[in-house]
Structures are given as structure tokens and as C-alpha cells.
Amino acid sequence: MEITSVVENTSGKALPVEHGLSLYIKKNDGLSILFDMGQSSLFASNAEQLSLSVADVDIAVISHGHYDHGGGLATFLKENRKAKVYVHNESFQPHYSLRENGLCYIGLDKQLENNNRLVFCRDLTRIGKDMIIFANVRGNICKPAGNRLLFGPDEITNDTFSHEQNLIIGEKDNIVLFAGCAHCGIVNIIHKMQETTGKVPTHVLAGMHLAKSGLEKSAEDAYIHSLAAELGKYTETMFYTMHCTGQEQFRKLKSIMGSQIEYLSCGDALKI
């Protein structure tokens, strides 16, 4: 398969960027999948510049109910007239972020909730024989510290991220895991994938929500070392990260993990 980043926080290809994520996936059998849609219509204009057709996308998945992953939904439904959009059934609940200027709404557009092309998922959804969407991730290994600043479905309850879902695509000898922000913790997500499939991912593409952790430098460094140690246990897995991981945090992971981890910027394409 070929995976192209059409929205990400950074770009080495002179493409416009935003704080968000959208990946365009083309399987070897020709099926095209859009994983997340950024926060605006930017994913569509960038896709056009990269000669990728949003109109021809066959399946779309929104990883969780935050605007920087599903804010482009209205544009997608307008540009693409056929694809089902798989969202978790709690994604349209209210979600908030505590920022310097107070609590900000960061949820999806409620006006789109009743669109008949949305498919509402729960713990496990199978798409064909080689794709699985899963949620209900448990465990507390290296969960992002920044989660404490995120709230929902009301303004005083810390978000449990029960609305976060992940995508597995199997193709030949590869089994690829996609996670939007890994709020549930990327290690816990991998564990859930192993429970679900009995397999270890050959490739993981995920934001890891390490930026803006609010931790002191020494505590953040210790956290990143712990995360790198956990990911390093998957000796046959290649990791690609992006978006909410953060550039400085990626460099720290890279210094520990070496060639086992790389960064996927807007416009970058990866062949697996």
C-alpha cells in the first residue's frame, strides 16, 4: 500500500499545513481510504496538489471526536458522494481543551451527526476481510500526560477517550496500525490490537500526543525514555509518527530508537 500525508503540522514539500492529521491510503487492490480529515478543507486542496482524488475515496475513518481530525468532514461529504464515513458512536459528544484563555470547544460539527453516510462504530467493526476498526482500549502504560487538559462529554469530566478508534489494515505479509492521536496510549493500543488479531503490527503510523504535555523537562524526558523502551520491545515493528507527537519530542524518541522510528510530514509518501 501507499500512504500519503495530506495534512500534518509540518511540511518539507512546500504544502500548506495546519494542526491536524489526514492520511490518504491506497491499497494494492486499488481501494482508497482516508484516515482523518484535518480541521478544515485543507486536506482536499492538498490532495489535489498531490494528484490524489478525494472524490474517488472508497472508505473514510475518523479516529476520534476532535476538530483537528474530523473538522474536514463537511468538505469530505461535499467532495465525495459515495464513501461511508466510519466514526465512533460517541464522537459527536462535546469535547473540550483547557488552554491559557480557558476551556475551548474542540468537538465535531453536531449538524453533521445525522448524515446518512455516517457509520457509527462501537468496540469492533470489520470492513471486508482485511480491515478492522477497534476501540475500547484499556491499560495505563505511557498514557499521554496532556490528556489531563482534555474534557468531555461535559466541561468538568476528564475525557476517557472512549470515542477514540484505530484502524488495522492487513495486506500480504504486512499488518499496519493507524492511530490518530493515541490518547489511550500507543502501547495500550498495540496491546489491544494483539488481543484482537493475535498479531503484532509490522508498521505503526500514529500521532502520540507528546507535545504540550505540561511536564517539566526532566519528567518529559523520563516519560519519552519509558515510551521508547516500550516501543523498542517490538523489534520487528517500524514506527512512523506525526502531528501531536511534536518535533522536539520526536527527536528525543529518534535519538533512542534510531532507524526504528521516522517522521511523516505533509506531502510525504510511504510505500509498504
Side-chain angles (χ1 to χ4, degrees):
M1 74 184 72
E2 184 166 2
I3 303 152
T4 305
S5 173
V6 293
V7 166
E8 205 273 322
N9 301 36
T10 67
S11 178
K13 309 287 186 183
L15 287 170
V17 301
E18 66 184 15
H19 175 78
L21 180 65
S22 182
L23 302 176
Y24 188 103
I25 306 160
K26 189 79 167 182
K27 293 176 73 261
N28 287 342
D29 62 7
L31 193 77
S32 57
I33 303 132
L34 190 70
F35 183 80
D36 284 344
M37 303 168 184
Q39 61 172 284
S40 70
S41 61
L42 182 63
F43 79 95
S45 57
N46 278 354
E48 184 176 8
Q49 288 195 59
L50 294 165
S51 300
L52 302 171
S53 174
V54 170
D56 291 335
V57 166
D58 298 297
I59 295 167
V61 178
I62 295 177
S63 63
H64 60 296
H66 288 174
Y67 77 104
D68 51 330
H69 295 259
L73 178 58
T75 297
F76 180 78
L77 293 171
K78 179 181 178 181
E79 297 289 329
N80 180 294
R81 298 294 184 177
K82 64 174 184 175
K84 295 292 186 182
V85 181
Y86 292 80
V87 298
H88 194 274
N89 73 320
E90 297 180 14
S91 286
F92 282 91
Q93 291 182 351
H95 301 290
Y96 304 91
S97 173
L98 182 60
R99 299 176 179 173
E100 290 182 0
N101 59 340
L103 207 61
C104 299
Y105 181 78
I106 58 168
L108 304 180
D109 183 352
K110 288 282 289 183
Q111 295 183 42
L112 302 174
E113 186 173 11
N114 296 319
N115 189 283
N116 61 12
R117 286 169 55 197
L118 301 187
V119 178
F120 289 97
C121 307
R122 293 183 182 272
D123 291 353
L124 187 71
T125 302
R126 295 185 183 273
I127 307 173
K129 61 181 178 61
D130 58 5
M131 284 190 287
I132 297 172
I133 297 170
F134 70 93
N136 192 28
V137 173
R138 305 298 182 187
N140 290 299
I141 300 173
C142 295
K143 291 185 80 169
N147 283 355
R148 72 189 185 283
L149 303 176
L150 299 169
F151 297 83
D154 57 57
E155 298 181 8
I156 60 172
T157 303
N158 275 116
D159 201 328
T160 64
F161 296 99
S162 56
H163 59 98
E164 184 175 68
Q165 59 184 15
N166 311 279
L167 173 65
I168 303 168
I169 302 179
E171 191 174 74
K172 295 184 178 179
D173 295 328
N174 294 314
I175 182 163
V176 186
L177 171 63
F178 297 87
C181 275
H183 287 289
C184 292
I186 190 60
V187 178
N188 304 314
I189 292 169
I190 295 171
H191 287 176
K192 181 68 174 184
M193 174 185 161
Q194 290 178 273
E195 292 174 11
T196 303
T197 66
K199 297 179 180 179
V200 173
T202 57
H203 303 78
V204 173
L205 289 92
M208 297 184 187
H209 201 63
L210 306 184
K212 299 180 181 179
S213 68
L215 297 174
E216 295 292 334
K217 183 179 184 302
S218 59
E220 182 173 277
D221 287 349
Y223 172 87
I224 290 174
H225 273 81
S226 295
L227 177 60
E230 290 290 340
L231 297 180
K233 294 176 183 178
Y234 294 91
T235 56
E236 302 300 317
T237 302
M238 182 66 197
F239 294 90
Y240 295 88
T241 195
M242 58 211 76
H243 178 44
C244 56
T245 300
Q247 290 290 292
E248 180 60 29
Q249 291 80 1
F250 164 71
R251 284 190 284 270
K252 291 177 182 178
L253 280 173
K254 179 74 172 172
S255 70
I256 304 165
M257 297 177 65
S259 61
Q260 196 181 4
I261 191 167
E262 297 294 347
Y263 198 93
L264 201 68
S265 291
C266 185
D268 289 349
L270 168 67
K271 290 186 178 181
I272 295 176

